[in-house]
Amino acid sequence: MSENGQPPNSEKYPQHVAIIMDGNGRWAKRRGLPRLAGHKAGTDNLRKIIKACVEFGVKYLTIYAFSTENWGRPKEEVDGLMRILEDVIERELSELKEQGVQIRHLGCLDQLAGSVQRKVLNAVEQTKENSTLILNVAFNYGGRDEIIHAVKKMLGDHITADAVTHELMSEYLYTAGSPDPDLIIRTSGELRISNFLIWQAAYSEWYVTETYWPDFGREEFKKALDEYAQRDRRFGKVESSEYTGVND
Ligand code: FPP
């Protein structure tokens, strides 16, 4: 630990971490439990990771909780995930408020039940002044849908072709107001983007671990942040030392 109580590398930690919380089903199967037990264990783990973000000074956390493709899962699982979202908001909102977490929603709310919509909107409203950690909850989210939604909105706003820039596009996405993710973590070993933040991930660093999401706790999270802190991000450029011969 350094003098400020933070790990030695912490000034190089990512500002924005996004997570594909994968492996809940396999975690449950391994224990002979129903898939929903895996999602519940994943929810408990999320609480730990939110705390760890506050502890390590991560400013933005984006979690992939329900994709536009997840509607294709059995009804029991879809209903269960909707219930989990409602329960999490009901149970955790006051603690999240105390921790200074601001909740934002990414995705389309319209297809969700009225009660879920109201809870999400209430959580967003009640936490809007918080700034310790911005928690973007991608729920009924898909990267391709997000881009189509942005283009339609631009056309509705009569944006001219000349006015369309990278920056303007970013302002029309669900993630408007959040910087692009510095680090994307995917648990359970799959090597896919799965329609997650496909615009925003252009230069994100990736960290993939075999660990299933419910077991990806504080220590593994810290390991991912430490590994990120060692990375050399070049954004398609080269390091100046490659021209000067200076190795700094
Ligand atoms: C992917 O694992 C996980 C999901 C589709 C759901 C993630 C949801 C949570 C962790 C609960 C937290 C949710 C909210 C609403 C805050 P998988 O089921 O595809 O795992 P598998 O690939 O092993 O089957």
Side-chain angles (χ1 to χ4, degrees):
M1 287 283 168
S2 60
E3 275 172 20
N4 62 6
Q6 287 289 341
N9 269 335
S10 63
E11 80 286 354
K12 289 188 184 155
Y13 277 179
Q15 185 188 21
H16 183 174
V17 178
I19 308 184
I20 302 179
M21 308 180 289
D22 200 6
N24 295 343
R26 278 163 287 166
W27 182 93
K29 192 173 174 198
R30 206 179 249 183
R31 288 162 175 75
L33 297 169
R35 292 180 57 81
L36 272 176
H39 295 314
K40 285 184 185 143
T43 308
D44 292 341
N45 191 52
L46 179 58
R47 190 183 302 118
K48 291 185 202 156
I49 297 303
I50 291 172
K51 276 207 179 98
C53 284
V54 173
E55 179 187 353
F56 296 131
V58 170
K59 283 286 167 203
Y60 297 81
L61 173 66
T62 299
I63 51 160
Y64 205 6
F66 190 90
S67 76
T68 46
E69 288 71 33
N70 287 156
W71 291 106
R73 294 191 175 203
K75 185 174 182 310
E76 188 191 345
E77 186 170 348
V78 171
D79 290 349
L81 285 164
M82 298 291 157
R83 254 195 329 272
I84 285 178
L85 178 62
E86 287 199 72
D87 290 351
V88 165
I89 295 175
E90 241 164 54
R91 239 188 10 242
E92 311 285 340
L93 187 58
S94 56
E95 189 173 343
L96 290 170
K97 278 165 75 177
E98 271 172 34
Q99 287 177 294
V101 176
Q102 181 186 137
I103 298 170
R104 295 182 185 170
H105 172 252
L106 312 182
C108 179
L109 274 184
D110 298 350
Q111 290 149 329
L112 307 181
S115 62
V116 182
Q117 292 188 31
R118 282 190 292 279
K119 287 207 172 87
V120 172
L121 291 172
N122 177 52
V124 169
E125 175 62 26
Q126 285 208 39
T127 60
K128 68 178 183 201
E129 305 298 342
N130 290 348
S131 59
T132 305
L133 172 69
I134 309 298
L135 175 64
N136 289 316
V137 181
F139 198 97
N140 195 22
Y141 169 90
R144 288 183 171 181
D145 271 10
E146 178 180 40
I147 291 171
I148 287 177
H149 177 262
V151 170
K152 285 184 175 170
K153 226 168 138 203
M154 280 187 197
L155 294 172
D157 287 349
H158 308 288
I159 301 290
T160 60
D162 284 348
V164 180
T165 59
H166 290 184
E167 290 73 23
L168 190 81
M169 187 71 193
S170 295
E171 282 169 31
Y172 273 83
L173 296 174
Y174 293 130
T175 48
S178 296
D180 288 342
D182 301 299
L183 174 66
I184 303 180
I185 296 172
R186 183 164 191 153
T187 55
S188 93
E190 308 292 343
L191 300 173
R192 288 189 288 280
I193 195 164
S194 298
N195 203 12
F196 186 48
L197 305 177
I198 52 182
W199 170 274
Q200 299 88 334
Y203 278 101
S204 302
E205 296 291 320
W206 282 82
Y207 180 91
V208 177
T209 170
E210 294 292 324
T211 307
Y212 295 150
W213 171 250
D215 292 331
F216 186 81
R218 177 190 176 278
E219 287 313 307
E220 278 224 46
F221 183 64
K222 182 174 178 299
K223 197 170 141 201
L225 301 185
D226 285 333
E227 187 181 309
Y228 171 87
Q230 304 298 325
R231 302 256 182 108
D232 174 25
R233 297 186 76 190
R234 294 194 298 269
F235 299 93
K237 301 169 191 149
V238 293
E239 258 202 308
S240 55
S241 61
E242 292 190 36
Y243 286 110
T244 59
V246 176
N247 213 350
D248 51 3

